[in-house]
């Protein structure tokens, strides 16, 4: 139901008969479809007069009503914008379906956006973990490379050991018996060995230990001495003195050539001195700690005429 327009009022006023009271005239506007092929067309509304049951208007009223319907219809249709479509009650289900479909599409869009956000977060989280892993791997590789460089540099800076001399204070042979009671010649001797230890490392100190210094005759150890362990700082050296001694060491058959009535030998005796010096450097804590081994062997000749006289070992030793 729509209110009457100004044109409808002016067109009906002159032709209406003079009656008292005036009977109201009602108009119903219904849409008229110009085409049924689905194309978009401008839908105009026509006014259909509904006469009250009190009486029927004359023929002029119907002509006037038709004229007013046409003018009202043309005015109403002219107010519509081009391309616009008036929604009729029959289109209500379609509009509801459109809204439902629009809601479904909206929900799908929201789900897709949430999925994209999750993918983006996952993609953003993966590189962070990769960066952390790459940092640790790179740090480990760089640290390993640095440690390897330090280890290689330290290996080239080996410590140097120089044997200086040996001095015999006592060299005595006498008859006796071993712990089982077998009679044999027994030797007692006392000597002092001097050497110089030098650490050539420019950036590390070393801890030094040694195996016992063994002095042997015919593959029988007749005297032994122990070097105390010590720490040597970088680019420094020290003099070492080790006492090598033996007390009543059985010679068995080997002592026959050494025995004499005076208890001392009158001939030179060939002896051999041997030991191993072990050096350990702590370059980078306990992670980089190169080790150095030096095996030293010296050929020593004891001369009874040079008792308590230092015997040089500079040209008598080999270093491996």
């Amino acid at each position: 139901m729509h209110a009457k327009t100004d044109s409808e009022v002016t067109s009906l006023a002159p032709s209406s008969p003079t009656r008292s009271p005036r009977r109201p005239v009602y108009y119903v506007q219904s849409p008229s479809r110009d085409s049924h092929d689905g194309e978009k067309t401008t839908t105009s509304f026509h006014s259909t007069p509904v006469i009250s049951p009190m009486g029927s208007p004359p023929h002029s009223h119907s002509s006037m009503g038709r004229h007013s319907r046409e003018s009202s219809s043309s005015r109403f249709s002219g107010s519509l914008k081009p391309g616009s479509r008036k929604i009729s009650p029959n289109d209500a289900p379609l509009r509801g379906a459109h809204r439902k479909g629009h809601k479904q599409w909206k929900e799908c869009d929201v789900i897709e956006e949430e999925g994209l956000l999750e993918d983006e977060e996952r993609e953003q989280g993966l590189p962070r973990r990769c960066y952390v892993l790459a940092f640790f791997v790179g740090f480990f590789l760089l640290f390993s490379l640095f440690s390897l460089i330090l280890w290689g540099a330290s290996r080239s800076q080996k410590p140097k050991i120089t044997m200086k001399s040996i001095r015999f204070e006592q060299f005595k042979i006498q008859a006796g018996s071993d712990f089982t009671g077998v009679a044999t010649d027994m030797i007692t001797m006392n000597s002092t060995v001097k050497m110089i230890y030098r650490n050539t490392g420019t950036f590390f100190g070393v801890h030094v230990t040694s195996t016992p210094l063994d002095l042997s005759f015919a593959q029988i150890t007749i005297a032994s001495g122990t070097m105390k362990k010590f720490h040597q700082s970088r680019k420094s050296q020290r003099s070492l003195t080790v006492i090598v001694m033996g007390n009543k060491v059985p010679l068995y058959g080997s002592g026959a050539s050494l025995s004499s009535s005076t208890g001392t030998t009158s001939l030179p005796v060939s002896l051999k001195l041997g030991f191993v010096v072990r050096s350990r450097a702590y370059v980078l804590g306990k992670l980089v700690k190169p080790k150095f081994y030096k095996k030293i062997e010296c050929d020593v000749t004891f001369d009874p005429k040079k008792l308590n006289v230092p015997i040089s070992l500079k040209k008598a030793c080999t270093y491996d």
Side-chain angles (χ1 to χ4, degrees):
M1 301 297 290
H2 297 275
K4 293 183 294 182
T5 61
D6 295 337
S7 60
E8 292 174 347
V9 174
T10 54
S11 60
L12 292 177
S15 59
S16 300
T18 305
R19 294 181 184 180
S20 179
R22 181 179 297 177
R23 295 175 182 174
V25 181
Y26 300 93
Y27 293 91
V28 178
Q29 295 180 353
S30 60
S32 63
R33 298 177 181 175
D34 296 338
S35 60
H36 301 279
D37 54 358
E39 299 179 355
K40 286 186 177 181
T41 57
T42 304
T43 304
S44 61
F45 288 82
H46 298 277
S47 300
T48 304
V50 178
I51 310 299
S52 89
M54 303 279 306
S56 60
H59 182 70
S60 60
H61 288 176
S62 62
S63 61
M64 283 297 198
R66 189 180 300 112
H67 178 71
S68 63
R69 284 199 305 270
E70 290 175 359
S71 63
S72 175
S73 174
S74 62
R75 176 179 293 184
F76 190 84
S77 62
S79 64
L80 294 175
K81 294 182 180 180
S84 62
R85 183 176 180 273
K86 198 71 175 178
I87 299 175
S88 63
N90 296 329
D91 296 337
L94 296 176
R95 183 173 58 185
H98 176 71
R99 288 181 178 177
K100 185 182 292 184
H102 180 70
K103 185 176 181 180
Q104 293 176 355
W105 280 109
K106 188 173 182 180
E107 291 178 355
C108 293
D109 293 341
V110 171
I111 293 173
E112 286 186 6
E113 289 179 358
E114 291 179 353
L116 291 174
L117 290 175
E118 291 178 357
D119 293 340
E120 290 180 358
E121 291 177 357
R122 193 178 299 111
E123 291 178 357
Q124 291 177 357
L126 183 61
R128 291 176 184 173
R129 291 193 294 270
C130 289
Y131 290 149
V132 174
L133 181 61
F135 172 77
F136 282 108
V137 172
F139 177 78
F140 177 76
L141 292 176
L142 290 176
F143 183 78
S144 300
L145 180 61
F146 179 70
S147 301
L148 184 61
I149 292 173
L150 289 178
W151 182 83
S154 63
R155 290 293 297 175
S156 62
Q157 302 178 7
K158 297 179 180 181
K160 291 183 179 181
I161 302 172
T162 304
M163 301 300 296
K164 298 294 290 183
S165 64
I166 182 171
R167 185 182 64 181
F168 292 95
E169 289 88 8
Q170 183 182 10
F171 195 95
K172 184 179 181 181
I173 298 173
Q174 60 186 8
S177 59
D178 62 2
F179 64 95
T180 61
V182 176
T184 182
D185 292 331
M186 306 187 76
I187 186 172
T188 302
M189 66 166 296
N190 190 7
S191 63
T192 303
V193 177
K194 291 185 178 181
M195 69 184 82
I196 294 177
Y197 184 94
R198 182 171 181 265
N199 178 20
T200 61
T202 57
F203 57 91
F204 59 88
V206 291
H207 296 267
V208 184
T209 58
S210 173
T211 60
L213 280 71
D214 294 332
L215 191 63
S216 60
F217 169 74
Q219 297 181 354
I220 299 175
T221 302
I222 59 176
S224 180
T226 303
M227 184 176 68
K228 294 181 180 180
K229 61 181 180 180
F230 61 93
H231 176 266
Q232 192 66 36
S233 58
R234 61 187 182 91
K235 297 183 68 175
S236 63
Q237 66 180 25
R238 71 171 58 191
S239 297
L240 300 174
T241 301
V242 181
I243 297 176
V244 180
M245 60 182 298
N247 185 26
K248 296 181 180 181
V249 178
L251 295 175
Y252 300 106
S254 301
S257 61
L258 299 177
S259 62
S260 66
S261 59
T262 59
T264 59
T265 180
S266 58
L267 300 174
V269 180
S270 296
L271 304 173
K272 181 170 286 188
L273 177 67
F275 63 101
V276 177
V277 179
R278 295 173 294 193
S279 305
R280 176 177 295 179
Y282 292 92
V283 178
L284 193 62
K286 293 185 178 181
L287 298 176
V288 181
K289 47 181 183 180
K291 300 176 182 179
F292 307 95
Y293 295 92
K294 185 73 70 173
K295 184 179 180 181
I296 302 172
E297 291 183 352
C298 302
D299 294 328
V300 181
T301 302
F302 168 70
D303 190 353
K305 297 178 182 180
K306 294 183 178 180
L307 195 64
N308 290 322
V309 177
I311 301 173
S312 177
L313 297 175
K314 290 183 178 179
K315 296 182 180 179
C317 300
T318 59
Y319 305 89
D320 295 330

